[in-house]
Coordinates of all heavy atoms in Angstrom, one line a residue:
M34 N -54.3 -31.5 -87.5 CA -55.2 -30.4 -87.1 C -54.5 -29.5 -86.2 O -53.6 -29.9 -85.5 CB -56.4 -31.1 -86.3 CG -57.5 -31.9 -87.3 SD -59.1 -31.5 -86.7 CE -59.8 -30.9 -88.1
S35 N -55.0 -28.4 -86.1 CA -54.4 -27.4 -85.1 C -55.0 -27.5 -83.8 O -56.1 -27.9 -83.6 CB -54.7 -26.0 -85.7 OG -56.0 -25.6 -85.7
E36 N -54.2 -27.2 -82.8 CA -54.6 -27.4 -81.3 C -55.5 -26.1 -81.0 O -55.1 -25.0 -81.4 CB -53.4 -27.4 -80.6 CG -53.6 -27.9 -79.1 CD -52.2 -28.1 -78.5 OE1 -51.4 -28.8 -79.1 OE2 -52.1 -27.7 -77.4
V37 N -56.4 -26.3 -80.2 CA -57.2 -25.2 -79.7 C -56.6 -24.7 -78.4 O -56.3 -25.3 -77.5 CB -58.6 -25.6 -79.3 CG1 -59.5 -24.5 -78.8 CG2 -59.3 -26.2 -80.6
I38 N -56.3 -23.3 -78.5 CA -55.7 -22.7 -77.2 C -56.9 -22.0 -76.4 O -57.6 -21.2 -77.0 CB -54.7 -21.5 -77.8 CG1 -53.6 -22.2 -78.6 CG2 -54.1 -20.9 -76.5 CD1 -52.7 -21.4 -79.1
N39 N -56.8 -22.2 -75.2 CA -57.8 -21.7 -74.2 C -57.2 -20.3 -73.9 O -56.2 -20.2 -73.1 CB -58.1 -22.6 -73.0 CG -59.0 -22.0 -72.1 OD1 -59.5 -20.9 -72.2 ND2 -59.6 -22.9 -71.3
P40 N -57.9 -19.2 -74.2 CA -57.4 -17.8 -73.8 C -57.3 -17.7 -72.4 O -56.5 -17.0 -71.9 CB -58.4 -16.9 -74.7 CG -59.3 -17.7 -75.2 CD -59.1 -19.2 -75.1
H41 N -58.3 -18.2 -71.6 CA -58.2 -18.0 -70.1 C -57.0 -18.6 -69.5 O -56.3 -18.0 -68.7 CB -59.6 -18.6 -69.5 CG -59.6 -18.5 -68.2 ND1 -59.9 -17.3 -67.4 CD2 -59.5 -19.4 -67.2 CE1 -59.8 -17.4 -66.3 NE2 -59.5 -18.7 -65.8
V42 N -56.5 -19.8 -70.0 CA -55.4 -20.5 -69.5 C -54.1 -19.6 -69.9 O -53.2 -19.4 -69.1 CB -55.2 -21.8 -70.0 CG1 -53.9 -22.4 -69.6 CG2 -56.4 -22.7 -69.4
L43 N -54.2 -19.1 -71.1 CA -53.1 -18.4 -71.6 C -52.8 -17.0 -70.7 O -51.8 -16.7 -70.4 CB -53.3 -18.0 -73.0 CG -52.1 -17.3 -73.9 CD1 -50.9 -18.1 -73.8 CD2 -52.5 -17.1 -75.2
L44 N -54.1 -16.4 -70.4 CA -54.1 -15.2 -69.7 C -53.5 -15.5 -68.2 O -52.8 -14.6 -67.6 CB -55.4 -14.5 -69.6 CG -55.8 -13.8 -70.9 CD1 -57.3 -13.4 -70.8 CD2 -54.8 -12.6 -71.3
Q45 N -53.9 -16.6 -67.6 CA -53.5 -17.0 -66.3 C -51.8 -17.2 -66.3 O -51.2 -16.8 -65.4 CB -54.1 -18.3 -65.9 CG -55.5 -18.1 -65.5 CD -56.2 -19.4 -65.0 OE1 -55.7 -20.5 -65.4 NE2 -57.1 -19.2 -64.1
K46 N -51.3 -17.8 -67.4 CA -49.9 -18.0 -67.4 C -49.2 -16.7 -67.6 O -48.2 -16.5 -66.9 CB -49.6 -19.0 -68.6 CG -50.0 -20.4 -68.4 CD -49.5 -21.3 -69.5 CE -49.9 -22.7 -69.2 NZ -49.6 -23.6 -70.3
I47 N -49.7 -15.8 -68.4 CA -49.2 -14.4 -68.5 C -49.2 -13.7 -67.2 O -48.1 -13.1 -66.8 CB -49.8 -13.7 -69.7 CG1 -49.6 -14.3 -71.0 CG2 -49.5 -12.1 -69.6 CD1 -50.4 -13.7 -72.2
D48 N -50.2 -13.8 -66.5 CA -50.4 -13.2 -65.2 C -49.3 -13.7 -64.2 O -48.7 -12.9 -63.4 CB -51.7 -13.3 -64.7 CG -52.0 -12.6 -63.4 OD1 -51.6 -11.3 -63.4 OD2 -52.5 -13.0 -62.4
H49 N -49.2 -15.0 -64.2 CA -48.2 -15.7 -63.3 C -46.7 -15.2 -63.7 O -46.0 -14.9 -62.9 CB -48.3 -17.3 -63.4 CG -47.4 -17.9 -62.6 ND1 -47.5 -17.9 -61.3 CD2 -46.2 -18.6 -63.0 CE1 -46.6 -18.8 -60.7 NE2 -45.6 -19.1 -61.8
I50 N -46.5 -15.1 -65.0 CA -45.2 -14.7 -65.4 C -44.9 -13.2 -65.0 O -43.8 -12.8 -64.5 CB -44.9 -15.0 -66.8 CG1 -45.0 -16.4 -67.2 CG2 -43.7 -14.2 -67.4 CD1 -45.0 -16.6 -68.7
E51 N -45.9 -12.4 -65.1 CA -45.8 -11.0 -64.8 C -45.5 -10.8 -63.2 O -44.7 -10.1 -62.8 CB -47.0 -10.2 -65.1 CG -47.1 -9.9 -66.6 CD -48.4 -9.3 -67.1 OE1 -49.4 -9.2 -66.3 OE2 -48.4 -8.6 -68.2
K52 N -46.2 -11.7 -62.4 CA -46.0 -11.7 -61.0 C -44.5 -12.0 -60.7 O -43.9 -11.4 -59.8 CB -46.9 -12.6 -60.2 CG -48.4 -11.9 -60.2 CD -49.5 -12.7 -59.5 CE -50.7 -12.1 -59.5 NZ -51.8 -13.2 -58.9
E53 N -44.1 -13.1 -61.3 CA -42.7 -13.6 -61.0 C -41.7 -12.5 -61.4 O -40.7 -12.3 -60.7 CB -42.4 -14.8 -61.8 CG -43.1 -16.1 -61.2 CD -42.7 -17.4 -61.9 OE1 -42.3 -17.3 -63.1 OE2 -43.0 -18.5 -61.4
L54 N -41.9 -11.9 -62.5 CA -41.1 -10.8 -63.0 C -41.1 -9.6 -62.0 O -40.0 -9.1 -61.8 CB -41.5 -10.2 -64.4 CG -40.7 -9.2 -65.0 CD1 -39.2 -9.7 -65.3 CD2 -41.2 -8.8 -66.3
E55 N -42.2 -9.2 -61.5 CA -42.2 -8.2 -60.4 C -41.5 -8.6 -59.2 O -40.7 -7.8 -58.7 CB -43.7 -7.9 -60.2 CG -43.9 -6.6 -59.4 CD -43.4 -5.4 -60.2 OE1 -43.7 -5.4 -61.4 OE2 -43.0 -4.5 -59.5
D56 N -41.6 -9.8 -58.8 CA -40.8 -10.3 -57.6 C -39.3 -10.3 -57.9 O -38.4 -10.0 -57.1 CB -41.3 -11.7 -57.3 CG -42.6 -11.8 -56.7 OD1 -43.2 -10.9 -56.3 OD2 -43.3 -13.0 -56.8
L57 N -38.9 -10.7 -59.2 CA -37.5 -10.6 -59.5 C -36.9 -9.1 -59.4 O -35.9 -8.8 -59.1 CB -37.3 -11.2 -60.7 CG -37.4 -12.7 -60.9 CD1 -37.3 -13.2 -62.3 CD2 -36.3 -13.4 -60.1
K58 N -37.8 -8.2 -60.0 CA -37.4 -6.8 -60.0 C -37.2 -6.3 -58.5 O -36.3 -5.6 -58.2 CB -38.5 -5.9 -60.5 CG -38.6 -6.1 -62.1 CD -39.7 -5.1 -62.7 CE -39.9 -5.2 -64.1 NZ -41.0 -4.4 -64.5
I59 N -38.1 -6.7 -57.7 CA -38.0 -6.3 -56.2 C -36.6 -7.0 -55.5 O -36.0 -6.1 -54.9 CB -39.3 -6.7 -55.4 CG1 -40.5 -5.9 -55.9 CG2 -39.1 -6.6 -53.9 CD1 -41.8 -6.4 -55.4
M60 N -36.5 -8.1 -55.9 CA -35.3 -8.8 -55.4 C -34.1 -8.1 -55.9 O -33.1 -7.9 -55.1 CB -35.2 -10.3 -55.8 CG -36.2 -11.2 -55.0 SD -36.3 -12.8 -55.7 CE -34.6 -13.3 -55.8
L61 N -34.0 -7.7 -57.2 CA -32.8 -7.0 -57.7 C -32.7 -5.6 -57.0 O -31.5 -5.2 -56.8 CB -33.1 -6.9 -59.2 CG -31.9 -6.1 -59.9 CD1 -30.6 -6.8 -59.9 CD2 -32.3 -5.9 -61.5
L62 N -33.7 -4.9 -56.9 CA -33.7 -3.5 -56.2 C -33.1 -3.7 -54.8 O -32.3 -2.9 -54.4 CB -35.0 -2.8 -56.2 CG -35.4 -2.3 -57.6 CD1 -36.9 -1.9 -57.5 CD2 -34.5 -1.3 -58.1
K63 N -33.6 -4.8 -54.0 CA -33.0 -4.9 -52.8 C -31.6 -5.2 -52.8 O -30.8 -4.8 -51.9 CB -33.8 -6.1 -52.1 CG -35.2 -5.8 -51.6 CD -35.9 -7.0 -51.0 CE -37.3 -6.6 -50.5 NZ -38.0 -7.8 -49.9
M64 N -31.2 -6.1 -53.7 CA -29.7 -6.3 -53.8 C -28.9 -5.2 -54.1 O -27.8 -5.0 -53.6 CB -29.5 -7.4 -54.8 CG -30.1 -8.8 -54.5 SD -29.9 -10.0 -55.9 CE -28.2 -10.0 -56.3
V65 N -29.4 -4.3 -55.0 CA -28.6 -3.2 -55.4 C -28.7 -2.1 -54.2 O -27.5 -1.6 -53.9 CB -29.4 -2.4 -56.6 CG1 -28.8 -1.0 -56.8 CG2 -29.2 -3.2 -57.8
A66 N -29.8 -2.0 -53.4 CA -29.8 -1.2 -52.2 C -28.8 -1.7 -51.2 O -28.2 -0.9 -50.5 CB -31.2 -1.2 -51.7
E67 N -28.7 -2.9 -51.1 CA -27.8 -3.5 -50.0 C -26.3 -3.2 -50.3 O -25.5 -3.2 -49.4 CB -28.1 -5.0 -49.8 CG -29.3 -5.3 -49.3 CD -29.7 -6.9 -49.3 OE1 -28.9 -7.7 -49.9 OE2 -30.7 -7.2 -48.6
N68 N -26.1 -3.1 -51.6 CA -24.7 -3.0 -52.0 C -24.3 -1.5 -52.2 O -23.2 -1.3 -52.7 CB -24.3 -3.7 -53.4 CG -24.4 -5.1 -53.1 OD1 -23.8 -5.7 -52.0 ND2 -25.0 -5.9 -54.0
L69 N -25.2 -0.5 -51.9 CA -24.9 0.9 -52.0 C -23.9 1.2 -50.9 O -24.0 0.7 -49.8 CB -26.1 1.7 -51.9 CG -27.0 1.7 -53.0 CD1 -28.4 2.5 -52.7 CD2 -26.4 2.2 -54.3
P70 N -22.9 2.1 -51.3 CA -22.0 2.4 -50.2 C -22.6 3.3 -49.1 O -23.6 4.0 -49.3 CB -20.9 3.3 -50.9 CG -21.6 3.9 -52.1 CD -22.7 2.8 -52.5
E71 N -22.0 3.1 -47.8 CA -22.5 3.9 -46.7 C -22.1 5.3 -47.0 O -21.2 5.7 -47.8 CB -21.7 3.4 -45.5 CG -22.1 2.0 -45.2 CD -23.6 1.8 -44.7 OE1 -24.1 2.7 -44.2 OE2 -24.1 0.7 -45.1
D72 N -22.6 6.3 -46.2 CA -22.4 7.7 -46.5 C -20.9 8.0 -46.2 O -20.4 8.8 -47.0 CB -23.2 8.5 -45.5 CG -24.6 8.6 -45.8 OD1 -25.1 8.3 -47.0 OD2 -25.4 8.9 -45.0
D73 N -20.3 7.4 -45.3 CA -18.8 7.7 -45.1 C -18.0 6.9 -46.0 O -16.7 7.2 -46.1 CB -18.4 7.3 -43.6 CG -18.7 5.9 -43.3 OD1 -19.4 5.2 -44.0 OD2 -18.1 5.4 -42.2
E74 N -18.3 6.1 -46.9 CA -17.5 5.3 -47.9 C -17.7 5.9 -49.3 O -17.2 5.4 -50.2 CB -18.0 3.9 -47.9 CG -17.8 3.1 -46.7 CD -18.3 1.8 -46.8 OE1 -18.5 1.2 -47.8 OE2 -18.5 1.1 -45.7
E75 N -18.6 7.0 -49.5 CA -18.8 7.5 -50.8 C -17.6 8.1 -51.4 O -17.4 8.1 -52.6 CB -19.9 8.5 -50.8 CG -21.3 7.9 -50.6 CD -22.4 8.9 -50.7 OE1 -22.1 10.0 -51.2 OE2 -23.4 8.7 -50.2
I76 N -16.6 8.6 -50.7 CA -15.4 9.3 -51.2 C -14.2 8.6 -50.4 O -14.2 8.6 -49.3 CB -15.5 10.7 -51.2 CG1 -14.3 11.3 -51.8 CG2 -15.5 11.2 -49.8 CD1 -14.5 12.8 -52.0
D77 N -13.2 8.3 -51.3 CA -12.2 7.6 -50.4 C -11.1 8.7 -49.9 O -11.3 10.0 -50.3 CB -11.2 6.7 -51.5 CG -10.7 7.5 -52.6 OD1 -10.1 8.5 -52.6 OD2 -10.9 7.0 -53.8
E78 N -10.4 8.4 -49.1 CA -9.4 9.4 -48.3 C -8.5 10.1 -49.4 O -8.4 11.4 -49.1 CB -8.6 8.7 -47.2 CG -7.9 9.5 -46.2 CD -9.0 10.2 -45.4 OE1 -10.1 9.6 -45.2 OE2 -8.7 11.4 -44.9
E79 N -7.9 9.5 -50.3 CA -7.0 10.2 -51.2 C -7.9 11.3 -52.0 O -7.3 12.3 -52.2 CB -6.4 9.1 -52.1 CG -5.5 9.7 -53.1 CD -4.9 8.6 -54.1 OE1 -4.7 7.5 -53.6 OE2 -4.5 8.9 -55.2
T80 N -9.0 10.9 -52.5 CA -9.7 11.9 -53.2 C -10.3 13.0 -52.3 O -10.1 14.3 -52.8 CB -11.0 11.2 -53.8 OG1 -10.6 10.1 -54.5 CG2 -11.8 12.1 -54.6
L81 N -10.5 12.9 -51.1 CA -10.9 13.9 -50.3 C -9.7 14.8 -49.9 O -9.9 16.0 -50.0 CB -11.4 13.3 -48.9 CG -11.9 14.4 -47.9 CD1 -13.0 15.1 -48.4 CD2 -12.3 13.5 -46.5
K82 N -8.6 14.2 -49.7 CA -7.4 15.1 -49.5 C -6.9 16.0 -50.7 O -6.6 17.0 -50.5 CB -6.2 14.2 -49.0 CG -6.3 13.6 -47.6 CD -5.1 12.8 -47.2 CE -5.4 12.1 -45.9 NZ -4.7 12.5 -44.8
A83 N -7.1 15.4 -51.8 CA -6.8 16.0 -53.1 C -7.8 17.2 -53.3 O -7.4 18.3 -53.6 CB -6.8 15.1 -54.3
F84 N -9.0 17.0 -53.0 CA -10.1 18.0 -53.1 C -9.8 19.1 -52.0 O -9.9 20.4 -52.4 CB -11.5 17.5 -52.9 CG -12.5 18.5 -52.7 CD1 -13.0 19.1 -54.0 CD2 -13.1 18.9 -51.6 CE1 -14.0 20.1 -53.8 CE2 -14.1 19.7 -51.5 CZ -14.6 20.3 -52.6
E85 N -9.4 18.8 -50.9 CA -9.3 19.8 -49.8 C -8.0 20.6 -50.2 O -8.0 21.8 -49.9 CB -8.9 19.1 -48.5 CG -10.3 18.6 -47.8 CD -10.0 17.6 -46.5 OE1 -8.8 17.3 -46.4 OE2 -11.0 17.4 -45.8
K86 N -7.0 20.0 -50.6 CA -5.8 20.7 -51.1 C -6.1 21.7 -52.3 O -5.6 22.9 -52.1 CB -4.6 19.8 -51.6 CG -3.3 20.6 -51.9 CD -2.3 19.6 -52.5 CE -1.0 20.3 -52.9 NZ -1.2 21.7 -53.4
D87 N -6.9 21.2 -53.3 CA -7.3 22.1 -54.3 C -8.1 23.3 -53.9 O -7.9 24.5 -54.3 CB -8.1 21.3 -55.4 CG -7.2 20.4 -56.2 OD1 -6.0 20.5 -56.2 OD2 -7.8 19.5 -56.9
L88 N -9.1 23.0 -52.9 CA -9.8 24.1 -52.3 C -9.0 25.0 -51.5 O -9.1 26.4 -51.7 CB -10.9 23.5 -51.4 CG -12.0 24.5 -50.8 CD1 -12.7 25.1 -51.9 CD2 -12.9 23.8 -49.9
E89 N -8.0 24.7 -50.8 CA -7.0 25.5 -50.1 C -6.3 26.4 -51.0 O -6.2 27.7 -50.7 CB -6.1 24.7 -49.1 CG -6.8 24.2 -48.0 CD -5.9 23.3 -47.1 OE1 -4.6 23.5 -47.3 OE2 -6.3 22.5 -46.3
D90 N -5.8 25.8 -52.1 CA -5.0 26.6 -53.1 C -5.9 27.6 -53.7 O -5.4 28.7 -53.9 CB -4.5 25.6 -54.1 CG -3.3 24.6 -53.6 OD1 -2.8 25.0 -52.5 OD2 -3.0 23.7 -54.4
M91 N -7.2 27.4 -54.0 CA -8.0 28.4 -54.5 C -8.3 29.5 -53.6 O -8.2 30.6 -54.0 CB -9.3 27.7 -55.1 CG -9.2 26.9 -56.3 SD -10.8 26.3 -56.8 CE -10.9 24.7 -56.1
I92 N -8.5 29.1 -52.3 CA -8.8 30.1 -51.4 C -7.6 31.1 -51.2 O -7.8 32.3 -51.0 CB -9.4 29.5 -50.0 CG1 -10.7 28.8 -50.2 CG2 -9.2 30.6 -48.8 CD1 -11.1 28.0 -49.1
E93 N -6.3 30.5 -51.1 CA -5.2 31.1 -50.9 C -4.7 31.9 -52.2 O -3.8 32.7 -52.0 CB -4.1 30.2 -50.3 CG -4.4 29.7 -48.9 CD -3.4 28.6 -48.5 OE1 -2.6 28.3 -49.3 OE2 -3.7 28.0 -47.4
G94 N -5.4 31.8 -53.2 CA -5.0 32.4 -54.4 C -3.8 31.8 -55.2 O -3.2 32.5 -56.1
K95 N -3.3 30.6 -54.8 CA -2.3 29.9 -55.5 C -2.7 29.5 -56.9 O -1.8 29.1 -57.6 CB -1.9 28.7 -54.6 CG -1.3 29.1 -53.3 CD -0.8 27.9 -52.5 CE -0.3 28.2 -51.2 NZ 0.0 27.1 -50.4
V96 N -4.0 29.3 -57.1 CA -4.5 28.9 -58.3 C -5.4 29.9 -59.0 O -6.2 30.6 -58.3 CB -5.4 27.6 -58.2 CG1 -5.9 27.1 -59.5 CG2 -4.5 26.5 -57.6
E97 N -5.3 30.2 -60.2 CA -6.1 31.1 -60.9 C -7.5 30.6 -61.1 O -7.7 29.5 -61.6 CB -5.6 31.5 -62.3 CG -6.3 32.7 -63.0 CD -5.6 33.0 -64.3 OE1 -4.4 32.9 -64.4 OE2 -6.3 33.6 -65.1
V98 N -8.4 31.4 -60.6 CA -9.9 31.0 -60.8 C -10.6 32.0 -61.5 O -10.3 33.2 -61.5 CB -10.6 30.7 -59.4 CG1 -9.8 29.4 -58.6 CG2 -10.5 31.9 -58.4
L99 N -11.8 31.6 -62.1 CA -12.7 32.5 -62.7 C -13.9 32.7 -61.8 O -14.4 32.0 -61.2 CB -13.1 31.9 -64.1 CG -12.1 31.6 -65.1 CD1 -12.8 30.8 -66.3 CD2 -11.5 32.8 -65.5
S100 N -14.4 34.1 -61.9 CA -15.6 34.4 -61.2 C -16.7 33.8 -62.2 O -16.6 33.4 -63.3 CB -15.8 35.8 -61.1 OG -16.0 36.4 -62.4
A101 N -17.9 33.7 -61.6 CA -19.0 33.2 -62.5 C -19.3 34.1 -63.6 O -19.6 33.6 -64.7 CB -20.3 33.1 -61.4
D102 N -19.2 35.4 -63.3 CA -19.5 36.4 -64.4 C -18.5 36.2 -65.5 O -18.8 36.3 -66.7 CB -19.5 37.8 -63.8 CG -20.6 38.1 -63.0 OD1 -21.6 37.5 -63.1 OD2 -20.5 39.0 -62.0
E103 N -17.2 36.1 -65.2 CA -16.1 35.9 -66.2 C -16.3 34.6 -66.9 O -16.2 34.5 -68.2 CB -14.9 36.0 -65.5 CG -13.6 36.0 -66.5 CD -12.4 36.2 -65.7 OE1 -12.3 36.4 -64.5 OE2 -11.4 36.1 -66.5
A104 N -16.8 33.6 -66.3 CA -17.0 32.3 -66.9 C -18.2 32.3 -67.9 O -18.1 31.8 -69.0 CB -17.2 31.2 -65.9
I105 N -19.2 33.1 -67.5 CA -20.4 33.2 -68.4 C -19.9 34.1 -69.7 O -20.3 33.8 -70.8 CB -21.5 33.9 -67.6 CG1 -22.1 32.9 -66.6 CG2 -22.7 34.3 -68.7 CD1 -23.1 33.6 -65.6
R106 N -19.2 35.1 -69.5 CA -18.7 36.0 -70.5 C -17.9 35.1 -71.5 O -18.0 35.1 -72.7 CB -17.9 37.1 -70.0 CG -17.4 38.0 -71.0 CD -16.6 39.2 -70.4 NE -15.3 38.6 -69.9 CZ -14.2 38.2 -70.4 NH1 -14.2 38.2 -71.8 NH2 -13.2 37.9 -69.8
L107 N -17.0 34.3 -70.9 CA -16.2 33.5 -71.8 C -16.9 32.5 -72.6 O -16.7 32.3 -73.8 CB -15.1 32.8 -71.1 CG -13.9 33.7 -70.5 CD1 -13.0 33.0 -69.5 CD2 -13.0 34.3 -71.6
L108 N -17.8 31.8 -71.9 CA -18.7 30.8 -72.6 C -19.6 31.6 -73.6 O -19.7 31.0 -74.8 CB -19.6 30.1 -71.6 CG -18.8 29.1 -70.7 CD1 -19.7 28.7 -69.6 CD2 -18.2 28.0 -71.4
S109 N -20.0 32.7 -73.4 CA -20.8 33.4 -74.4 C -20.1 33.8 -75.6 O -20.5 33.8 -76.7 CB -21.5 34.6 -73.7 OG -22.4 34.3 -72.7
E110 N -18.9 34.3 -75.3 CA -17.9 34.6 -76.4 C -17.6 33.2 -77.3 O -17.6 33.4 -78.5 CB -16.7 35.2 -76.0 CG -16.8 36.6 -75.4 CD -15.6 37.1 -74.8 OE1 -14.4 36.4 -74.9 OE2 -15.7 38.2 -74.4
G111 N -17.5 32.2 -76.7 CA -17.3 30.9 -77.4 C -18.4 30.5 -78.2 O -18.3 30.0 -79.3
I112 N -19.6 30.7 -77.7 CA -20.8 30.4 -78.5 C -21.0 31.3 -79.7 O -21.4 30.8 -80.8 CB -22.0 30.5 -77.6 CG1 -21.9 29.4 -76.5 CG2 -23.3 30.3 -78.3 CD1 -23.0 29.4 -75.5
K113 N -20.7 32.5 -79.5 CA -20.9 33.5 -80.6 C -19.8 33.3 -81.6 O -20.0 33.7 -82.8 CB -20.7 34.9 -80.1 CG -21.9 35.4 -79.2 CD -21.8 36.7 -78.6 CE -22.8 37.2 -77.6 NZ -22.7 38.4 -77.0
G114 N -18.7 32.6 -81.3 CA -17.8 32.3 -82.3 C -16.6 33.2 -82.2 O -15.5 33.4 -82.6

């Protein structure tokens, strides 16, 4: 014979599992938040120096740069074919 399943008990178990899952989600979010880098750790020193050098070169005209209008024109021409 088949076993009778009490829907009330089944719903209680589902509710309990959902609460545990929500608790696990919160724990995971807390762990992720704790492992986020501090503001001063977001960029390493080498990357920052390379960026500063590139920026200086652009300002001093050592590197050819495009204006926004020229970039839009080139992109538009590329799209047109």
